[in-house]
Structures are given as C-alpha cells and as structure tokens.
Amino acid sequence: SSDRTQLWLHARCLSFFWGFVDDLFVRISLHGNATVAFAAQSQSRIGSTDSASNPRRLADLADDVYAATIAGH
C-alpha cells in the first residue's frame, strides 16, 4: 500500500561470555489504518549453533513488545 511507513532497525548483539556477534533485524510497518506490523530476525554471524540465543532473543523481544502494547506505550 502507498499509505505505509516502514522503520528498519539493525542491532549487533554480543554474547556475554565469549563476545560473539549476532545480528538482530527488526522491521516495523505503520499502515494508514493505524495497523502496525512487526517482524524480527536474529542470526549468528559465525558458527552453526547459537546455544538457543537467537530464539531466546526473539522471544524476549516479542515479550517486551507485547508488554509495551498492553501498557499503552
């Protein structure tokens, strides 16, 4: 739709102990009818395993967005 605004965010997330870098990408789309769409992706830069860091990061982000929505922020 032409009546839409998108905000893209990219964050580098460092693991606590080893300092490995993961990338977090977030897209927030604001539609003209006051609808908001939220999409996020977290991925490791190096290696084939992340010790469940990426799914946990996305779940924490979803919980925070939900809590802010319920609180009216």
Side-chain angles (χ1 to χ4, degrees):
S1 163
S2 62
D3 195 16
R4 178 177 68 183
T5 301
Q6 290 189 346
L7 173 66
W8 290 85
L9 303 170
H10 172 233
R12 289 182 18 200
C13 305
L14 300 175
S15 67
F16 175 72
F17 187 74
W18 294 105
F20 293 131
V21 178
D22 291 346
D23 291 298
L24 175 65
F25 301 95
V26 177
R27 184 185 74 220
I28 302 170
S29 300
L30 309 172
H31 300 271
N33 61 356
T35 302
V36 177
F38 180 87
Q41 174 185 345
S42 182
Q43 77 185 55
S44 301
R45 287 189 182 186
I46 299 174
S48 59
T49 182
D50 65 1
S51 301
S53 295
N54 290 310
R56 187 171 41 253
R57 181 177 298 114
L58 291 173
D60 289 347
L61 180 60
D63 290 346
D64 290 345
V65 168
Y66 179 76
T69 302
I70 296 301
H73 295 288

